[in-house]
Amino acid sequence: KNKNLKNNKEELKKKKKKNILSAKNINGKWYVKFKIQGNKEELLGEISKLKNYEISDYIINRTKEENSIVLEICSKENI
C-alpha cells in the first residue's frame, strides 16, 4: 500500500529544518523532493529517519553559508 501525499507531508513536517520543494505522482506512487539543512550530525540523523522510504535521487551541498541535502523520496511498496 503506497502512502498518499498527505501522509508524506505529515511525516516530513516532523523533520527539522526542511523545505518541501516538489511532489509528483508517477504510476500511483508519490515522489517528494525536499531539502534538509544542518550540520553533518543533524543531516545524518534526519536521513536515518527515512527507513520507510526509498531515496531515488539526492544532491549534497556544502558551502560556507549552508550544509544541506536535497532528497527525492518515495514510500517503499511494502509499507
Side-chain angles (χ1 to χ4, degrees), residues 50-78:
L50 299 173
K51 292 182 256 183
N52 294 330
Y53 294 89
E54 293 178 20
I55 298 174
S56 57
D57 195 13
Y58 64 93
I59 300 169
I60 300 171
N61 296 305
R62 184 169 185 238
T63 65
K64 279 186 173 180
E65 298 82 33
E66 172 183 279
N67 294 320
S68 65
I69 299 176
V70 176
L71 297 164
E72 183 174 77
I73 63 170
C74 63
S75 62
K76 291 184 179 176
E77 304 251 16
N78 58 355

Side-chain angles (χ1 to χ4, degrees), residues 1-39:
K1 182 176 178 183
N2 291 327
K3 292 185 179 187
N4 62 29
L5 182 58
K6 182 179 177 182
N7 296 127
N8 285 319
K9 281 185 174 181
E10 287 175 7
E11 284 193 25
L12 291 175
K13 283 181 186 178
K14 298 174 189 172
K15 312 290 183 246
K16 299 188 320 183
K17 299 180 188 177
K18 85 299 177 207
N19 296 314
I20 295 175
L21 305 174
S22 67
K24 58 187 171 187
N25 189 320
I26 300 174
N27 298 325
K29 198 171 192 179
W30 281 100
Y31 290 80
V32 179
K33 185 180 280 190
F34 68 103
K35 178 180 180 179
I36 52 176
Q37 298 170 280
N39 63 35

